[in-house]
Amino acid sequence: MVKIGEIAKRLGVSTDTLRYYEKQGILASSGRSESGYRLYTEQDIAQLAFVIRAKDVGFTLNEIKELLAIKVDKQSHSCEQVKQFTSEKISQVERKITEMNAILNSLKLLHKSCCGGDEPAIHCSILSALEVQNDAS
Amino acid sequence: MVKIGEIAKRLGVSTDTLRYYEKQGILASSGRSESGYRLYTEQDIAQLAFVIRAKDVGFTLNEIKELLAIKVDKQSHSCEQVKQFTSEKISQVERKITEMNAILNSLKLLHKSCCGGDEPAIHCSILSALEVQNDAS
DNA sequence: ATAAACCCTAGAGTTAACTCCAAAGTCAAA
DNA sequence: TTTGACTTTGGAGTTAACTCTAGGGTTTAT
Ligand SMILES: [Zn+2]
Ligand SMILES: [Zn+2]
Ligand SMILES: [Zn+2]
Ligand SMILES: [Zn+2]
């Protein structure tokens, strides 16, 4: 059971952010000390790591809440529903990865088509590289 | 040369958003009609498609501006700088894809570990699936 | 030729996700 | 035992990315 400052420091977020996440139902502390300090477990830290990773790749807090709801709501839902829901989320993430790869390809094409010399970049075909890739979406 | 409403409709954004992107230096129209209407080319549309895709996967407008700057600034920078910059962006995108895959694995594990039956989901090991994955980040 | 549907600008309002602040209680070390 | 670093709450302020409004001009269809 660690205090808020510790977990904040370990995962590189502010204590304000952690209190905000609690208010938003993203991550509550597992308990409080005698004096009312928030106390977090290692599991809480693991969950926060998940939240941060999801946020980093562009999920909103609401989407993250949905992802976490799979865990929270398991008492009130059937396995069938859980399976259905995770299926949807999986295709959503797969779509994002596909788009990400399209962007990566744009950049790689661009990188390849540039000679890398020290002359001004006017002559290199970067512009067309970007557009060709865009057309082929 | 199409008007703002047409491009907005075709790519599923509002005309307000397009005017906002112009103000932010993300995407200007290629010209104006006699009466001052914005006119866009197919290239503009391709660029907007790129912007939308980048936005969808979690890039901020400022990051997108950086990506587009590769194209815009080519007069004032050397090929060496361009190559350097695209390299950085490529690793940034690759990192994002890696994180995305970690999340995808969490979800897949979760999906696999659920029986999918119509009984309440209490018994299934979803919780641990999420946390195991988080620990292994 | 006139109504509907489009476009313009400038600027105000909104939402998400923080971030900061004030006023006060708690805890560890010197 | 007192200083300083922590914690609490409630609420105000900020930033990004829209979104809307007002008040006007333009284009198109009937
Ligand atoms: Zn080049
Ligand atoms: Zn070159
Ligand atoms: Zn199950
Ligand atoms: Zn089951």
Side-chain angles (χ1 to χ4, degrees):
Chain A
M1 297 291 242
V2 315
K3 282 183 289 177
I4 198 168
E6 168 87 9
I7 174 174
K9 202 171 175 186
R10 260 165 74 180
L11 294 190
V13 298
S14 75
T15 56
D16 275 325
T17 297
L18 286 172
R19 291 190 202 99
Y20 174 73
Y21 284 174
E22 182 175 304
K23 213 180 280 175
Q24 301 303 306
I26 297 287
L27 178 68
S29 64
S30 285
R32 295 285 182 123
S33 73
E34 293 270 301
S35 51
Y37 286 14
R38 287 171 181 79
L39 295 174
Y40 298 87
T41 63
E42 288 300 315
Q43 260 196 17
D44 294 332
I45 295 173
Q47 177 161 331
L48 181 58
F50 180 86
V51 170
I52 289 168
R53 202 159 54 193
K55 217 178 53 61
D56 280 353
V57 295
F59 284 98
T60 66
L61 291 190
N62 272 334
E63 287 171 327
I64 294 170
K65 214 156 144 183
E66 279 194 298
L67 291 173
L68 294 172
I70 298 168
K71 185 174 130 183
V72 172
D73 284 5
K74 63 179 183 124
Q75 297 88 349
S76 52
H77 294 307
S78 70
C79 276
E80 197 181 0
Q81 288 172 308
V82 168
K83 199 126 190 162
Q84 166 71 31
F85 184 81
T86 48
S87 282
E88 280 164 25
K89 284 293 157 189
I90 284 170
S91 15
Q92 184 184 323
V93 173
E94 278 172 344
R95 258 198 311 281
K96 279 204 180 201
I97 290 175
T98 301
E99 292 194 341
M100 214 63 144
N101 275 317
I103 288 170
L104 184 63
N105 283 340
S106 284
L107 290 172
K108 278 187 174 167
L109 204 64
L110 212 141
H111 186 258
K112 212 179 64 183
S113 72
C114 180
C115 76
D118 62 356
E119 76 283 13
I122 308 163
H123 73 281
C124 85
S125 59
I126 278 164
L127 200 149
S128 47
L130 247 186
E131 265 124 37
V132 163
Q133 187 56 32
N134 283 330
D135 288 345
S137 86
Chain B
M1 296 292 242
V2 315
K3 283 184 288 178
I4 198 168
E6 167 87 10
I7 175 173
K9 202 173 176 186
R10 260 165 76 180
L11 294 189
V13 298
S14 74
T15 56
D16 275 325
T17 298
L18 286 172
R19 291 190 204 99
Y20 175 73
Y21 284 175
E22 183 176 303
K23 212 180 278 176
Q24 301 304 307
I26 298 286
L27 177 68
S29 65
S30 285
R32 294 286 180 122
S33 73
E34 294 269 301
S35 50
Y37 286 16
R38 288 171 180 79
L39 295 174
Y40 298 87
T41 64
E42 287 301 314
Q43 259 196 18
D44 294 331
I45 295 174
Q47 178 162 330
L48 181 57
F50 180 86
V51 169
I52 289 169
R53 201 159 55 193
K55 217 178 53 60
D56 280 352
V57 296
F59 285 98
T60 66
L61 290 190
N62 271 335
E63 287 170 327
I64 294 170
K65 215 155 143 184
E66 281 194 298
L67 291 173
L68 294 173
I70 298 168
K71 187 176 129 183
V72 172
D73 285 4
K74 64 178 182 121
Q75 297 89 349
S76 53
H77 294 308
S78 70
C79 275
E80 196 180 359
Q81 288 172 307
V82 168
K83 199 126 189 163
Q84 166 70 31
F85 184 80
T86 48
S87 282
E88 281 165 23
K89 285 293 156 188
I90 285 170
S91 12
Q92 184 184 323
V93 173
E94 278 172 345
R95 259 197 311 281
K96 279 203 177 198
I97 291 175
T98 302
E99 291 193 341
M100 213 65 145
N101 275 317
I103 289 171
L104 183 62
N105 283 340
S106 284
L107 290 172
K108 279 188 173 166
L109 205 63
L110 213 141
H111 186 257
K112 212 179 65 183
S113 72
C114 179
C115 77
D118 62 355
E119 76 283 13
I122 308 163
H123 74 280
C124 85
S125 59
I126 279 166
L127 201 148
S128 47
L130 247 186
E131 265 124 38
V132 164
Q133 187 57 32
N134 283 329
D135 288 346
S137 81

